[in-house]
Amino acid sequence: MDTKSFIKKFATHPNYKSPTGNILHAKSWQTEAPLRMFLNNLDNEVAEDPSNLVVYGGSGQAARNRDSVEKIIDVLLNLEDDESLLIQSGKPVGKVRTHSQAPRVLIANSNLVPEWANWEHFEKLKEDGLMMYGQMTAGSWIYIGTQGILQGTYETFAACANKHFGGSLKGKLLVSGGLGGMGGAQPLAATMAGATFLGADIDPERIEKRLKTGYIDKMTDSYEEARDWVLQAKDRGMNVSVGLVSDIGDLLEKLLEDDIIPEILTDQTSAHDPVFGYVPNGMSLSDAYCLRKNDQAEYKKLSLTSMARHVSLMLEMKSRGSITFDYGNNLREFARQGGEVDAFSFNGFVPDYIRPLFCEGKGPFRWAALSGDPEDIYTTDRALIEAFPDNKDMISWLKQAKEKIQFQGLPCRICWLGMGEREKAGIIFNDLVKQGKVSAPIAIGRDHLDCGSVASPNRETEGMIDGSDAVSDWPLLNLMSNTAGGATWVSFHHGGGVGMGYSQHAGMVVLVDGTERAEKCIKRVLHNDPAMGVFRHSDAGYDIAKEHSKKFNLDI
Ligand code: NAD
């Protein structure tokens, strides 16, 4: 199929769809895989706003503009196995000579020299058409819809249950803000962990999307109705989730007035971007869009003040008994800038719940069935259950996931796996492809929020015991290891999760196409990638990581 016909069929803006089946459109699966995953990122079922090429996380894009989309498609359709495409902030800028085990796409998104690394400078460049915001998996083409964050969120809530509530959230109320691309995983993760959930989002369309995909049970714009629903459910120990159309600060204020103190409190509004993400208190959505266009300085001021109010209400809840944590959106930093001096009086979720997993090289391993056939994912689920019979948490997750998760776009699965486990899973999947037990190749990747791939002092690397929170040599080493090891595409981004100036992180995807070439790449990449988490945490002095370093012969 020539490029024009391909675009007409799969990429007529804003209707993007990945091809499915096992017939190639590109010259090999090494280039078909990034092509399919790129289009999948923009699929209406997957992306939050395909008409603006926005995938998730505020303004996280898959490509810079429509010309770039078409050019990326054209190059990938024609790329040879000894060439690699270069992407600079969502724009294809050239091809370099490489070899068959090298990455086919090399991506750098949103990177700025530290002194200039702020939203103001970035927005100016964006306006001039020179950059785009890649978030984490938006610009690196491995976003898999809300499921991607679901297991991580479930792990966090389950860890919170183990730490504070004897392992069960039955009869406990969990309150949060933001039901967008990532935040929309909270209601389902909370109910899977047994809790009653109440979440606020200012945008009704976002909650409707969660209703449609089965991530939330009920929706209302009446505070009283939402309150009564959740109190009743909580009393009966029912795991029900409710989405309220409201500003999150207003919801917290009303709950406090009614003396309703949730057992757990967090937030996933798009606070990382005070201008194009967070909506200031008291403002309608249409007024917010208007002010964003006309006076960004005024918008930012209002946004920071609202975040300060929001966090002060969270602090009040905390003082009255809520287990309160920041959920990785940099809310505390912007609340501090807005005048809440005690904003950092509660912790982020990583030091509280996730770091012990990072020390074992565990993180958000995910894969997509390029065939588009859900049966392929169920086959991989069964293969993992068979291969890891002692991993009860993983087995319980995979069973619940099969039952409760509707696929968005290409069928995908996420499952947190650690050092040793990821490589084993990759080899098993490669055998499944080789033996024809799945109907087309599989793409294995992960979030940039992983054990050794990110420096983000207000999130993944908050409160490291050796004080190395801001050292970003680690994600660069991760990028270099995955490039040298032969991932199929690699990426290095700035500002994901927490916004410009606050994070640097690397991504990778490796193709599983049943070949010997793939097996070699898998054995290197899926060993090196989690090993980076063990190196990073062992070097920082964490005992669990030191033990894992010994166990896997990683000591030098
Ligand atoms: P998103 O832009 O898709 O959704 C954000 C939602 O917040 C929107 O629906 C918006 O309407 C809502 N919102 C904004 N201001 C509000 C307010 N005042 N009151 C109520 N609702 C409001 O973003 P997303 O992908 O869901 O990500 C949310 C945040 O979580 C981002 O900051 C992102 O960087 C961060 N994040 C966290 C993790 C993690 O693991 N914890 C992972 C990825 C992203």
Side-chain angles (χ1 to χ4, degrees), residues 170-478:
K170 194 174 157 88
K172 307 284 183 274
L173 177 63
L174 196 160
V175 168
S176 186
L179 297 166
M182 294 271 144
Q186 297 177 102
L188 184 53
T191 53
M192 283 171 90
T196 305
F197 176 88
L198 174 59
D201 199 296
I202 195 69
D203 184 348
E205 283 182 21
R206 299 308 192 96
I207 308 181
E208 275 157 19
K209 192 157 183 167
R210 308 308 148 218
L211 264 183
K212 268 191 209 135
T213 48
Y215 273 75
I216 205 162
D217 299 318
K218 291 176 165 195
M219 170 179 175
T220 176
D221 54 11
S222 152
Y223 164 73
E224 288 73 21
E225 192 167 38
R227 177 196 61 196
D228 294 349
W229 281 343
V230 294
L231 287 183
Q232 223 174 53
K234 177 174 146 72
D235 280 352
R236 294 179 188 166
M238 282 163 65
N239 52 347
V240 167
S241 57
V242 175
L244 172 67
V245 183
S246 163
D247 169 69
I248 178 63
D250 288 350
L251 169 63
L252 297 184
E253 197 168 60
K254 287 178 186 158
L255 289 172
L256 281 164
E257 275 165 22
D258 285 347
D259 205 19
I260 299 166
I261 309 301
E263 277 79 8
I264 304 171
L265 176 65
T266 187
D267 183 70
Q268 277 208 51
T269 53
S270 35
H272 69 278
D273 187 344
V275 177
F276 292 97
Y278 198 84
V279 177
N281 174 248
M283 197 174 276
S284 71
L285 272 180
S286 54
D287 287 350
Y289 294 144
C290 201
L291 191 61
R292 270 174 189 163
K293 258 201 200 117
N294 298 330
D295 191 346
Q296 289 175 14
E298 176 62 13
Y299 189 104
K300 184 170 177 183
K301 212 171 85 195
L302 292 172
S303 210
L304 296 187
T305 311
S306 300
M307 287 196 234
R309 166 182 178 258
H310 177 171
V311 167
S312 77
L313 291 161
M314 290 177 80
L315 289 168
E316 176 63 19
M317 286 284 191
K318 181 177 181 251
S319 74
R320 288 166 69 174
S322 291
I323 302 293
T324 306
F325 58 90
D326 173 296
Y327 212 156
N329 57 1
N330 219 10
L331 176 67
R332 292 168 301 171
E333 172 60 31
F334 292 115
R336 188 191 63 76
Q337 292 180 21
E340 176 48 76
V341 288
D342 293 325
F344 279 87
S345 301
F346 53 86
N347 270 351
F349 71 112
V350 174
D352 275 5
Y353 305 117
I354 299 293
R355 185 145 308 135
L357 304 179
F358 280 175
C359 289
E360 296 178 23
K362 276 204 174 125
F365 182 83
R366 57 181 60 176
W367 62 101
L370 298 174
S371 63
D373 184 352
E375 275 309 318
D376 283 356
I377 290 297
Y378 304 143
T379 304
T380 55
D381 285 347
R382 283 193 297 274
L384 286 190
I385 290 171
E386 204 175 294
F388 299 102
D390 299 330
N391 194 338
K392 302 281 176 250
D393 288 345
M394 184 206 76
I395 293 173
S396 151
W397 160 257
L398 290 175
K399 288 187 172 159
Q400 288 206 66
K402 182 173 182 210
E403 202 184 300
K404 297 188 176 156
I405 290 167
Q406 288 177 24
F407 294 128
Q408 299 166 256
L410 290 175
C412 299
R413 185 64 82 224
I414 177 152
C415 178
W416 278 48
L417 293 180
M419 188 68 217
E421 296 171 325
R422 300 196 203 186
E423 183 185 350
K424 185 170 169 183
I427 293 167
I428 290 171
F429 291 177
N430 202 44
D431 285 340
L432 291 177
V433 181
K434 195 178 358 182
Q435 293 160 13
K437 292 189 175 159
V438 291
S439 54
I442 290 169
I444 294 180
R446 56 157 174 77
D447 195 357
H448 295 202
L449 181 171
D450 195 10
C451 51
S453 57
V454 50
S456 183
N458 288 347
R459 202 167 95 168
E460 289 86 341
T461 50
E462 171 175 349
M464 294 292 290
I465 48 173
D466 64 344
S468 62
D469 307 19
V471 176
S472 59
D473 295 336
W474 297 102
L476 278 160
L477 287 172
N478 180 256

